[in-house]
Amino acid sequence: MSQRFYSTRSPDQFVDVKEAVLRSLPADNGLYMPESIEPLSADFWDNWRSLSLPEIGFEVAKGIFGDSVPAEQLEKIVHESANFPAPLVTVREREHVLELFHGPTLAFKDFGARFMARLMGWLTREDEGLLTVLVATSGDTGGAVASAFHHVPGTRVVILYPQGKVSGLQEKQLTTLGGNITALEIDGTFDDCQRLVKSAFLQREMAETLNLTSANSINISRLVPQSFYYFEAAKNLPEGVKPTFVIPSGNFGNLTAGLLAEKLGLEVERFVAATNRNDVVPEYLREGEYRPRPSVATISNAMDVGAPSNFARMESIFGHEWESMKERVAGFAYDDQMTRDTIRRIREETGYTLEPHGAVGWLAAEAWRKSNPEAHTVVLETAHPAKFLDVMEEELGEGSVEIPERLGCLAHLEKVAYSMGPDEEGFAEWLRSLDE
Ligand SMILES: *Cc1c(COP(=O)(O)O)cnc(C)c1O
């Protein structure tokens, strides 16, 4: 089977894998979805518990891409990208945490970015000229994308970030790699960065000459590898236990990846969406009204999203029926004070260190178990606590969080970035000069 992809806004028009992955966003502003996802084969289910994470990943990726990517290539891409562990930690009886922060930039986004980089590299292997990847970042995404594309042949990456608005270590993750990675420090906001990226795509001729593509989270190839670790978590639970996955959510890519895993046949008790005060989806699940709005700033800032991009995919999966979504997905929202209290309380009670995003998830898991005491909850811990050192030290005291070597050693490296104003003309001119 060769997979095709439709836009959530034009379900009867299809593109191939190359177009879906390289174009990222359909012209009608919908999102690409695989035409058909069937449960994995009986052969897989006979021995899936004995497979490694990349072995599972290969079967999952085949289930979604079919033979639109040759199996041998897909296997290589999966093994090179999912090459770090996703351990399931049982903090207390039936209370599990799935640690997704053991990749190179210490956030779950490494899974998606590394897979996407290698897939894009393969899809453009015979194209002339370099693929130019543009990405605007408010923090975590830029670092994961930069690390993922570093040294990938045939690609170059331009990262736009708002001056003074990312943490010191995050900035170092963007600006110290060199090689095919270039950082632009924009004198403006994250919204300005996003606007500049969009404006480049609208200049058709330049976009084509430079072979522009985007690496933000709406890209379908970033979601697929995020399905892998749902299987990985389930396989490590006692046989017969159906996990309840609790997902700290912003753009809802991670949760959508869980829904894809379920479509591939994984047995899941329930999905629980956990958000901070940006609670558009929990509100929708409660009231049936979808009201996107401007985001508010919180300490779990990677989830400060007021109009979650993957909601369109969730709707498509549930046939645009509120009732159906509500049956499979529960939602809870918490404020910063509760998040802080939870970081302290859980460290005191169990010794386990949750960072702000995971703490929001933990609260939702507790809420769920109140009415479902037998549930095995698996909270996705989406980043390493050292990435949010300020908050962690405010709650737990100085020196309370170990800083991994990978992050700590960045402090000594020299930042290299071009400074630029937020105007579209100047940005376009700079981009054009890349090929001269
Ligand atoms: C991106 C991110 C999230 C939100 O994930 P979505 O897929 O956008 O819902 C949560 N936590 C951290 C640490 C992140 O970087």
Side-chain angles (χ1 to χ4, degrees), residues 274-293:
T275 72
N276 56 31
R277 285 202 299 128
N278 297 286
D279 63 344
V280 173
V281 172
E283 180 186 89
Y284 168 78
L285 292 167
R286 202 170 56 240
E287 299 174 10
E289 293 280 340
Y290 185 65
R291 299 186 203 95
R293 48 190 173 253

Side-chain angles (χ1 to χ4, degrees), residues 107-109 140 226 248-254 302-303 357 382-383 388:
F108 82 88
K109 292 191 169 72
D140 273 352
Q226 291 174 208
S249 294
N251 268 322
F252 283 77
N254 226 354
M303 310 198 296
H357 306 79
T382 45
F388 305 93

Side-chain angles (χ1 to χ4, degrees), residues 15 74 79 146 149 201 220 237 276 282-283 286 313 316 329 362 387 390 400 404 414 433:
V15 300
L74 203 53
H79 279 259
F149 279 90
F201 282 97
I220 184 71
L237 289 172
N276 56 31
E283 180 186 89
R286 202 170 56 240
R313 288 197 169 109
S316 171
V329 186
W362 188 278
K387 292 196 97 170
D390 292 356
S400 55
E414 198 183 340
S433 73

Side-chain angles (χ1 to χ4, degrees), residues 50-232:
S50 63
L51 301 181
S52 68
L53 173 62
E55 284 168 348
I56 289 176
F58 174 46
E59 297 299 326
V60 169
K62 252 196 310 189
I64 293 186
F65 288 109
D67 49 23
S68 18
V69 181
E72 196 181 305
Q73 279 307 322
L74 203 53
E75 185 168 26
K76 184 160 177 273
I77 291 170
V78 171
H79 279 259
E80 284 176 9
S81 53
N83 64 347
F84 51 91
L88 185 74
V89 177
T90 300
V91 178
R92 286 192 293 222
E93 208 188 340
R94 291 196 287 272
E95 298 178 65
H96 315 275
V97 171
L98 182 64
E99 294 186 345
L100 300 176
F101 53 74
H102 295 280
T105 72
L106 308 177
F108 82 88
K109 292 191 169 72
D110 284 326
F111 280 98
R114 292 172 66 75
F115 182 89
M116 175 175 61
R118 284 160 182 79
L119 183 58
M120 282 183 172
W122 183 77
L123 289 171
T124 55
R125 70 202 174 285
E126 284 169 354
D127 295 0
E128 272 173 44
L130 289 172
L131 180 70
T132 305
V133 182
L134 290 188
V135 60
T137 186
S138 57
D140 273 352
T141 301
V145 168
S147 158
F149 279 90
H150 196 211
H151 299 318
V152 172
T155 70
R156 69 178 158 210
V157 178
V158 177
I159 304 170
L160 291 79
Y161 72 97
Q163 182 177 24
K165 295 190 182 66
V166 304
S167 80
L169 284 177
Q170 280 176 329
E171 183 175 38
K172 287 289 171 81
Q173 287 185 321
L174 309 175
T175 57
T176 57
L177 287 172
N180 62 335
I181 312 296
T182 304
L184 295 183
E185 186 176 16
I186 303 296
D187 183 10
T189 61
F190 172 62
D191 291 331
D192 288 323
C193 297
Q194 276 200 304
R195 177 175 50 77
L196 290 178
V197 167
K198 273 217 174 119
S199 76
F201 282 97
L202 292 178
Q203 304 188 40
R204 285 270 155 182
E205 219 185 287
M206 179 181 75
E208 246 167 64
T209 325
L210 289 174
N211 239 329
L212 284 189
T213 190
S214 137
N216 49 20
S217 71
I218 50 185
N219 196 299
I220 184 71
S221 69
R222 269 183 65 176
L223 286 195
V224 173
Q226 291 174 208
S227 302
F228 303 172
Y229 44 71
Y230 285 88
F231 290 81
E232 177 75 5

